[in-house]
Amino acid sequence: MNLRSATRSRTTSGGGWSPTRKLLASLAVLGAAASIAGLGTFATFTSSTSTSHTVSSGTVTIALGATGASTNRLNIGASAIAPGDTIQRSVDLIDSGSLDLASITLTTTATASSLLDTDATNGLQMVIDKCSVAWTESGPPYTYTCSGSTSTVLASRAVIGSTLALSNLGSTTAGVTDHLRVTLTLPGAAGNTFQNQSSTISYAFTGTQRTATSK
């Protein structure tokens, strides 16, 4: 045996690590690590729970009483009025929604106009009163008396106005009805220029929801 052959024999048969053995050892270590990682994935604890609730919104709805009865006479006109005459009409104002209101306002407009509504001083003047019970009606021509207590909802002013604040109303509370009497007066100072005039007055009530709160 020559010296080169002896050296090659010691390399292949001695105690050193060959490249093949090193590769197999590395694969074994990686396999063990993967097995440990896999054990961690399958060992996760879990728990869950749930609940629910329903949320619904309220309604803001104001309405007038039934037309054609003492609950709403605002649709009935008047003719041949003279200076000093008054026109009384009853109307129920109802909060028929589910929400209380912060306020109710009134806007009056003239869909057909004349001096009766454009002259703020000598034209038609308006007052609105409230009775704690339903008004007692007589007529026509309609007049009303209150067997309970009365309060002023709108003080005397020109018949035409925008977003007029109404006071002393119970109908800002859901489900409550106010019994109102609207009185229009043609002032005694109205002169000859007010003869043969005609106006159509429209009444629009607007309710605004209560202030926001916690629920």
Side-chain angles (χ1 to χ4, degrees), residues 67-91:
T67 302
S70 60
T71 51
N72 186 0
R73 298 292 191 188
L74 282 179
N75 67 315
I76 298 176
S79 60
I81 65 171
D85 284 353
T86 59
I87 305 161
Q88 292 188 343
R89 300 291 184 264
S90 62
V91 61

Side-chain angles (χ1 to χ4, degrees), residues 2-20:
N2 59 30
L3 182 61
R4 180 179 300 173
S5 297
T7 302
R8 186 166 51 246
S9 177
R10 285 195 300 270
T11 302
T12 58
S13 61
W17 288 88
S18 69
T20 301

